[in-house]
Amino acid sequence: MAEAERIIGTPDTPDDGGEHTAAAGAPAGTGAVGASGQAGASGAGGQGTTAGRAGRGRRIAVLFAVAVFAYALDLISKMLVVSRLEGHAPIQVVGDLLELHAIRNPGAAFGFGAAFTVIFTLIAAAVIVVIIRLARKLYSFPWAVALGLLLGGALGNLTDRIFRAPGVFEGEVVDFIAPKGFAVFNLADSAIVCGGILIVLLSFRGLDPDGTVHKD
């Protein structure tokens, strides 16, 4: 446990009563040594806390960098699809195995639940809030990437829900990636699925967002 706390940068809480008792019971002539030792321990603890905060800051930066990248790709791709593909015949990418086919989707990812557009909008907003709150305890690089993908994908589809027709919180999502025999989806859906798969793999490995590793 002490080793895990050191890795994730959890600050130690000094025990004032114990320190005072040790100082009072120390033999004469050892006060300076005791004070020096305590000062050294305090300095090491402060350095560990600072390093831990710096590590968390880097992981948070990775999370938001991945989120911005995924969100930007999704937003730009949808703008291109709406301006150049919507209302036109599908474009074949790999024969009839993969096409670019613009549709408007009122449901969740891959077209499920078209009757619950508002509910899915609220769920996406809740996911974003949870991820942002979880970022405060983030010390794991793989978790930062996974949560960044989830955040970017959720923001991409939530933008459609808010700003596209037929209205606020009821907007239809732009989908355009159409594999043969599968539902049409977009890059935001892909980011969400990839982030979810990565989280499952990390959970199987026993790695928590705070960097703690559980071994059975």
Side-chain angles (χ1 to χ4, degrees):
M1 180 63 71
E3 180 65 15
E5 291 180 350
R6 184 186 66 81
I7 293 174
I8 66 175
T10 304
D12 295 328
T13 303
D15 186 355
D16 293 338
E19 290 178 357
H20 290 315
T21 302
T30 61
V33 176
S36 176
Q38 291 175 5
S42 177
Q47 291 176 0
T49 301
T50 302
R53 290 174 179 172
R56 182 183 63 180
R58 287 192 294 269
R59 303 302 182 268
I60 293 176
V62 169
L63 186 157
F64 285 107
V66 172
V68 169
F69 181 74
Y71 177 69
L73 282 182
D74 180 70
L75 187 62
I76 293 171
S77 65
K78 288 175 179 175
M79 292 173 62
L80 292 174
V81 166
V82 170
S83 63
R84 300 186 181 184
L85 186 59
E86 203 167 41
H88 296 78
I91 298 176
Q92 291 187 339
V93 179
V94 185
D96 61 349
L97 297 178
L98 178 63
E99 295 181 339
L100 299 181
H101 181 200
I103 66 170
R104 296 295 181 106
N105 173 23
F110 309 109
F112 297 112
F116 303 98
T117 304
V118 175
I119 295 177
F120 290 129
T121 302
L122 296 177
I123 292 175
V127 168
I128 292 171
V129 172
V130 170
I131 293 174
I132 293 175
R133 289 178 61 87
L134 185 60
R136 297 180 301 174
K137 301 179 180 180
L138 188 62
Y139 287 89
S140 167
F141 178 82
W143 269 95
V145 174
L147 294 178
L149 289 171
L150 286 180
L151 181 58
L155 284 172
N157 284 338
L158 184 61
T159 299
D160 284 356
R161 299 293 186 197
I162 295 176
F163 295 105
R164 297 194 187 277
V168 178
F169 298 125
E170 297 182 350
E172 297 177 343
V173 174
V174 176
D175 289 337
F176 58 93
I177 304 174
K180 183 178 180 180
F182 194 71
V184 185
F185 59 96
N186 56 43
L187 294 182
D189 297 332
S190 301
I192 292 172
V193 170
C194 291
I197 292 174
L198 182 54
I199 287 176
V200 171
L201 294 176
L202 293 174
S203 298
F204 273 119
R205 290 186 57 190
L207 180 62
D208 289 344
D210 64 0
T212 303
V213 178
H214 299 282
K215 296 183 179 180
D216 296 332

